[in-house]
Amino acid sequence: MTTALPAVFTPATVNLAAVAPMLVVFGGAALGVLVEAFAPRRSRYAVQMPLTVLTLVVGLGSVYFALQNTGPTAGALVRGQMRGSVIVDGPTVFLQVAILLFALLAALSLGERLGGVGPDAITPMGAATPGSPQEAQALRAGALTSEVFPLFLFSVGGMLLFPAAGDLLTMFVALEVLSLPLYLLCGLARRRRLLSQEASLKYFLLGAFSSAFLLFGVALLYGYAGSVYFADIAAVIGAPDSQLAGLLVPGILLVLVGLLFKVGAVPFHMWTPDVYQGAPTPITGFMAAATKAAAFGAILRFVYVAVDRAQWDWRPALIAITALTMVVGAVLSVTQTDIKRLLAYSSIAHAGFLLVGVVSMERAGVSGTLFYLVAYGLTTIAAFTVVSLVREGGSEASHLAQWAGLGKRHPWTAGVFAFLLLAFAGIPLTSGFTAKFAVFRPAIDSGLAGVFLVVLGLVCSAITVFVYVRIIVLMYFTEASSDEVEVIEPSWLSTVTVTAGAALTLVLGVAPSFVLEVADRASQFVR
């Protein structure tokens, strides 16, 4: 006699092709851990760097298989009782490609010197002769810091999972997988140890608080809907009112607190300047680009799929946060004298501009946000790579006064950085202008609140123009206060990162139609 198994024991099927990019990256990270455990110290960097780059390249190639498996049901990682835990649809694939591209450029910047942590290893890869003390110093640095590569890949894997999460628990797991390695990576700047460790500790403590808020929101939403799946939550919101309706709005807002923390939105932004300043510069650029892309992907899926039917309850709060984020980021960037803190407040302002596209609650807002994330990420990684090359006395020239006269002594470096700053400002013929147009246009169509945010965004953009132009004036029209500031000669690694970032920033400003069209086609969420 055959007895049918209960539904809870239904065998699960895994669509490996749909999640191939994530499997490749996590597999590469696991191999990196094995390298750290078994490879000789002297050869770890020589193995870890190519392994990291190869993993990311293969991950990008495996996106092809994910594209073949997007559809109404193909995105579900596990069927049966865990249906829809991971959803591979248009926004997921688009953001995964962007994150892998950002990670590849950041990995090249990370491996510029054998120390692997930007500001700490001051010996360029080609500057040490065999048998010299410089080579010994570089090799020691590489042996001591090669663990950044598997940590880096684990964080990338979490970022790939974050925008694909189809339920609240998977979203939380992805958040922790991407965050925990970043807490460690932020504390690995050896030549600025105290500042770096302070940044790591602040990021960890505030990140733990934000995770607690998110979990509290998950509990409330589960109590309201009886499920953690986005589709189930959306179905319950559309049903007649229940006695548990009072749990809905607090739960949504608490989940949004945890998500908005990762993008540095006001008032959850206090970690951003300190962490950006203290972390190794390649890690800072990676966080500013890839973390923002992953977190906005999760925000978009949560608000457009799970709770869009309750938008009249939570949208006013998100509109207020959007306005505050733009104003605080733009105004406080004026007062900064450290280049990395200035770019940190700039990233806060850009988070506000991105939220303008989110709160429009239009499909065009989703496509505009996707394009903005790509444009901003490419510009940001290139800009922080340039910052890591400008030095005085072996340390990064982070004070704005140290950049005075750079245009006369190093015209190419200053010229590229000036162009990237103009892209941040949103000047025409740069990707920044196209990106802002892409998020502001649907906001105008969404109603009076959207028009208000666009007007405020234009005012804040004008403020940030002053900030960026001030740096350009310093580089080209101010005499240098010190002759010790120099630009170290980059290897091909950083050269590729800066060249690719600047070139794509120009292309997305002059001929953005292809990426805009791809973003538009990828802007439909699977429910």
Side-chain angles (χ1 to χ4, degrees), residues 9 25 38 95 97 121 170 173 180 195 229 258 368 474 480 483 502:
F9 295 112
V25 171
F38 297 107
L95 288 172
V97 171
T170 303
V173 171
L180 291 175
L195 190 62
Y229 293 98
L474 269 175
D483 294 332

Side-chain angles (χ1 to χ4, degrees), residues 141-167:
L144 292 172
T145 59
S146 59
E147 71 273 8
V148 301
F149 294 105
L151 289 172
F152 178 83
L153 286 178
F154 275 119
S155 183
V156 173
M159 292 175 186
L160 297 179
L161 179 60
F162 203 25
D167 67 72

Side-chain angles (χ1 to χ4, degrees), residues 160-180:
L160 297 179
L161 179 60
F162 203 25
D167 67 72
L168 294 169
L169 290 182
T170 303
M171 176 185 290
F172 173 73
V173 171
L175 175 65
E176 295 307 302
V177 171
L178 77 88
S179 297
L180 291 175

Side-chain angles (χ1 to χ4, degrees), residues 339 343 383 386-387 403 412-421 471 475:
I339 188 68
L343 292 177
V386 172
V387 170
W403 290 68
W412 282 103
T413 301
V416 171
F417 194 63
F419 173 71
L420 297 173
L421 291 175
I471 301 175
M475 291 192 296

Side-chain angles (χ1 to χ4, degrees), residues 109-125:
S109 178
L110 192 66
E112 161 64 22
R113 285 161 293 279
L114 288 177
V117 284
D120 303 334
I122 60 175
T123 304
M125 292 184 62

